[in-house]
Every structure is written in structure tokens, then in C-alpha cells.
Amino acid sequence: MLPIEEYHRHFITYLNQYSHSKEPVNLYAPIDYILHLGGKRLRPILTLMTADIFNGSFKAALDAALSIEVFHNFSLVHDDIMDGAPLRRGQSTVHQKWDVNTGILSGDAMLIMAYQLFENYPPQTFQTLVTLFSKTAIEVCEGQQYDIDFETRADVTIPEYLKMIEYKTAVLVGAAMKMGAIVAHAKPQDQNNIFNFGKNLGIAFQLQDDYLDAFGDTESFGKQVGGDIIENKKTYLYLKALEFSNERDKDVLKQLYSTAPKEGSAKIQTVKQVFISSGAAEATKQAIRDYTNRAFSDLESLQISDTKKQLLKDFGVQLMHRTV
């Protein structure tokens, strides 16, 4: 097993070799641009780490890790178009730097390229990876559609929201880990258990993201705090605040989430106060702990050493206490 930083270094080295300086430039330049904008690289690191955990070669998992990263960035390109987002990781989004048509086409190409990377594996491994990848990819699309639907619904429930983040975010984390297990030829039961670990960790990760969007530090979080509030996103915090609040605070919250003021600082401050006073902020932190603990319980049935289980637990704890 290597330190997380080493998996990251190996992956970035491999990613940097994966350039597409070929014609037509306006198809491939946006792909190189988005792939090198940075980011946590959480998913590919998990693929490499999992291959190592099941006594495989992490280097053999590099193509699977790269496929996950290419797919993730493909989804970001198309998400940014749907959201009309001007910035991604502090830089211009692909459709802003080029145009919408280029963003759509380059994103389409990235989805195909993600599949092509599996061609570097033997037939049986290829088939298993592609089957998992296809199932995961369609679930990510379903999660995105749920997210879009929720924008115009006033009756979103907490179970519906949790299903949305499971599909949109968490299944890709689970799949990243299961791919590492597949490449390492782990037993099917271990493959499924590591997927569940990753999925539950992914839900905790997204809930933490919701929390940090409201209560994180602007400088360390890397984007405007309160962005979800400004955009009236019905996050776990918001849904819990509606559940816990008295009628007056519910009305205040619903009224604020029907507005789009030019200057949003007062709206953010008022909503955050309701999140705290209602108990929604604390309930969200508890949900993060609960899903992290669910992930840890998934580790118990894995046929790996206690040392390796502890490494995965340490990684989960690190994610739970992150500030970015």
C-alpha cells in the first residue's frame, strides 16, 4: 500500500500522458482543458488504492481509474451546460470558453473515450468492467434528471433526495472502488462489499459538500459559500429545516427560496440561521456520521487484513473531516 499522495502522483503522471493534441483541435482541446483543470481526483485514487488492497497491481488499474475520471469530467461538461455555469474549479467552463455545441460534442467524445480505455483489459475483465460502467453511467444520468426535476418541485422528500445523491454522486464512487477490485480479481462478494463501502462514503461525501456549501470557509472551500442557498437548491439541510421548523420559520424559508435577489448575503445569513436554530445543521452532521459509519460496517465482511481495513477507515475519517 502507498500513501494517498503517491496514488495521486502516479495517476497525474498517467493522465498527463493521455493528451489529445490532434485534429480537429476544437474537439480535442476542450477535452484536454477540462481533464487538466485540477480537482480532488478522489475517484481514480480510490480505484488504484482498491486494486492494491486486493493484492492486485495498482498500475494495472490505471486505465480503469482514467476511465472513471474521463467519465466524471464528461458529466461535469454537460452539467455545466445544463446549469449555465460560467466557472468550474475557478476557470471558465468548456461551453463558456468555446461554445455550447463544442461542449456537447467534446463531452460526447469523452464518454466514448471512457469506454475505449477498457479495451486495454483481457476479455473477461473488459466485459465485467463495461457491465458495471454502463449500469453506473445510466444511474448517474437518472440522478441528474432527479436533480433537474427537484428544481420545480415543492414536495421533495428526504428519501427522494438521498436517492438522487446516491445516483448522481455516490454510485460513481462505489463503482470506482469496485473497478479496482475487478482488475485485482477480487472475489465477487468482496467486489460488492467494496462497492457498498464506496457508495455509502459517497453519500456522506455529498452531504458534507451540502454542509460545507452553507457553513464552509470561503477561502478553503474554493467557491462562494451559500451558492446552494442563492440557487434555491433543496439540499438535505433545507429539507431537514422544513421538517424541524415551526410554521413561521417554514414560511420564511419557503419565501426566501422563491426569491433571487441581486445581492444574496442577507438571504444566505437568514437561511443559515434557520438551518442552525431548527437543528437541521446538526442533523446533517449526524447524517454524515451515520453514512460514514455505514461505510465502515461494510468493511467488516471484507476478506482483507485489519491493517487494510484501518487504512480505508482512516481515509473515510479524513473525508468526513475535510473542509474543502
Side-chain angles (χ1 to χ4, degrees):
M1 297 293 298
L2 301 176
I4 299 298
E5 296 75 21
E6 279 297 292
Y7 292 120
H8 184 273
R9 184 180 66 81
H10 280 283
F11 178 73
I12 294 300
T13 300
Y14 200 68
L15 174 64
N16 288 338
Q17 297 167 3
Y18 185 73
S19 62
H20 291 84
S21 52
K22 56 182 181 180
E23 299 291 336
V25 171
N26 282 337
L27 176 67
Y28 292 108
I31 294 171
D32 282 343
Y33 173 77
I34 187 68
L35 285 175
H36 292 89
L37 267 190
K40 304 175 189 71
R41 315 294 188 185
L42 168 69
R43 296 155 194 84
I45 287 170
L46 286 173
T47 303
L48 301 183
M49 184 194 307
T50 306
D52 247 358
I53 280 169
F54 288 109
N55 301 317
S57 163
F58 78 86
K59 291 184 178 180
L62 280 164
D63 283 312
L66 185 54
S67 176
I68 282 284
E69 186 69 1
V70 171
F71 175 80
H72 174 60
N73 281 275
F74 140 74
S75 71
L76 297 182
V77 171
H78 280 195
D79 285 0
D80 287 341
I81 292 170
M82 286 184 267
D83 293 342
L87 295 176
R88 167 65 62 182
R89 296 166 185 153
Q91 302 295 320
S92 295
T93 49
V94 167
H95 72 275
Q96 190 78 18
K97 187 174 175 66
W98 282 270
D99 54 52
V100 169
N101 287 346
T102 298
I104 292 170
L105 192 58
S106 293
D108 290 345
M110 291 175 77
L111 177 58
I112 297 163
M113 288 157 58
Y115 274 100
Q116 283 181 323
L117 284 158
F118 296 133
E119 295 171 8
N120 297 323
Y121 291 100
Q124 184 59 51
T125 304
F126 167 85
Q127 184 177 8
T128 309
L129 288 170
V130 167
T131 300
L132 171 63
F133 186 82
S134 295
K135 178 179 182 294
T136 304
I138 200 69
E139 286 175 342
V140 170
C141 292
E142 290 168 3
Q144 175 67 1
Q145 186 61 56
Y146 285 133
D147 198 19
I148 293 168
D149 292 346
F150 291 172
E151 291 175 9
T152 55
R153 280 183 50 190
D155 60 345
V156 178
T157 66
I158 286 172
E160 286 178 319
Y161 181 75
L162 290 170
K163 182 177 181 180
M164 183 273 287
I165 64 174
E166 176 185 338
Y167 279 22
K168 185 175 178 180
T169 301
V171 294
L172 196 59
V173 178
M177 301 197 79
K178 188 171 181 177
M179 284 184 184
I182 290 168
V183 172
H185 305 294
K187 293 178 180 178
Q189 190 59 46
D190 279 339
Q191 293 178 20
N192 292 333
N193 287 331
I194 201 70
F195 172 86
N196 289 330
F197 169 79
K199 182 186 73 174
N200 283 317
L201 206 61
I203 294 172
F205 182 88
Q206 184 58 53
L207 291 173
Q208 179 82 328
D209 216 48
D210 290 355
Y211 182 85
L212 289 173
D213 190 274
F215 296 104
D217 175 71
T218 304
E219 191 170 328
S220 59
F221 191 45
K223 56 184 178 181
Q224 179 194 15
V225 170
D228 287 347
I229 296 171
I230 291 295
E231 294 171 26
N232 298 324
K233 287 197 172 182
K234 301 174 183 77
T235 63
Y236 192 87
L237 275 165
Y238 171 79
L239 296 173
K240 274 294 178 185
L242 284 184
E243 180 185 341
F244 292 159
S245 293
N246 58 41
E247 289 303 318
R248 185 184 67 82
D249 284 346
K250 275 185 188 176
D251 290 341
V252 168
L253 208 52
K254 288 177 180 178
Q255 192 277 325
L256 285 169
Y257 267 64
S258 67
T259 65
K262 287 184 179 179
E263 208 294 302
S265 58
K267 174 182 176 178
I268 291 170
Q269 195 57 39
T270 303
V271 169
K272 284 171 66 173
Q273 286 172 354
V274 175
F275 286 169
I276 294 168
S277 62
S278 67
E282 185 54 44
T284 302
K285 289 196 285 186
Q286 184 59 49
I288 294 165
R289 290 191 289 269
D290 289 345
Y291 275 98
T292 303
N293 288 331
R294 284 192 199 184
F296 291 166
S297 69
D298 291 321
L299 293 179
E300 296 311 311
S301 53
L302 285 177
Q303 297 179 50
I304 58 175
S305 69
D306 289 342
T307 302
K308 289 178 177 179
K309 288 179 184 178
Q310 190 60 49
L311 285 170
L312 288 169
K313 282 186 179 181
D314 291 344
F315 186 78
V317 169
Q318 183 182 337
L319 280 184
M320 190 171 69
H321 293 295
R322 69 193 171 93
T323 57
V324 295

